Amino acid sequence: MEIGQQAPDFSLPDSDMTKVSLGDYRDRNNVVLFFYPRDDTSGCTIEALEFTDLQDEFDSLDTVVLGVSKDNCMSHATFRDKHGLSVRLLADVEGEVCDAYGVWRESKRGDKSAMGIIRSTFIIDREGKLREAMFNVPHKGHAQDVLDRIRGLD
């Protein structure tokens, strides 16, 4: 994937098992697509809460925020309800969208390595073109950085 190219399309169920596709937002909204490792972990909760706290500002910029992990719809619903999240959480159980966006990678901790989702965020404009690709992003403060970047779009 390169900046300026069409972002990979997808169709995934959300926490209410409603299908969500990137094409649903074409010509209407920018899309922030953030990938996170796992529901209800400390870093992922902070990130999702910060995106939720800024929801009105994203809405005012005609921008939809979608979170993606490999957790299932039930896990997403529990996570959403427990923390009062307003961002839509999409279930990529098979990991096809994670693969398409290049976020399913090997990571090392000490002597051990394992495959997992690298915390990453993509900004996709109304035309479906990739405007930003950010990998290994911090969980704290990242939502504000993304909002600032959305404000800078043409």
Side-chain angles (χ1 to χ4, degrees), residues 37 70 99 102-108 112-118:
K70 290 184 78 173
D99 286 339
V103 302
W104 184 251
R105 298 184 182 177
E106 183 178 26
S107 62
K108 293 184 179 187
K112 297 181 181 182
S113 64
M115 294 299 290
I117 293 176
I118 302 299

Side-chain angles (χ1 to χ4, degrees), residues 15-136:
S15 51
D16 295 320
M17 294 185 240
T18 302
K19 285 281 188 184
V20 176
S21 299
L22 180 58
D24 296 343
Y25 303 104
R26 178 82 38 93
D27 298 324
R28 296 181 321 156
N29 300 97
N30 297 308
V31 174
V32 170
L33 191 62
F34 75 96
F35 290 84
Y36 63 97
R38 211 164 127 221
D39 287 343
D40 212 21
T41 57
S42 59
C44 297
T45 301
I46 289 168
E47 182 179 30
L49 283 169
E50 287 187 2
F51 274 114
T52 292
D53 289 345
L54 296 172
Q55 186 71 51
D56 289 342
E57 293 183 61
F58 281 107
D59 288 347
S60 73
L61 297 169
D62 295 323
T63 299
V64 173
V65 178
L66 304 171
V68 180
S69 78
K70 290 184 78 173
D71 296 297
N72 64 34
C73 297
M74 293 291 289
S75 176
H76 282 339
T78 301
F79 181 42
R80 176 199 62 200
D81 295 347
K82 178 179 179 181
H83 298 286
L85 303 175
S86 63
V87 294
R88 286 180 92 173
L89 303 176
L90 308 182
D92 186 23
V93 177
E94 300 299 321
E96 292 174 7
V97 179
C98 290
D99 286 339
Y101 280 83
V103 302
W104 184 251
R105 298 184 182 177
E106 183 178 26
S107 62
K108 293 184 179 187
R109 288 191 181 151
D111 294 344
K112 297 181 181 182
S113 64
M115 294 299 290
I117 293 176
I118 302 299
R119 191 181 310 279
S120 307
T121 301
F122 300 85
I123 297 174
I124 302 162
D125 68 17
R126 288 175 180 87
E127 296 174 3
K129 292 183 180 172
L130 183 64
R131 297 295 293 269
E132 297 259 0
M134 298 166 271
F135 296 92
N136 292 308

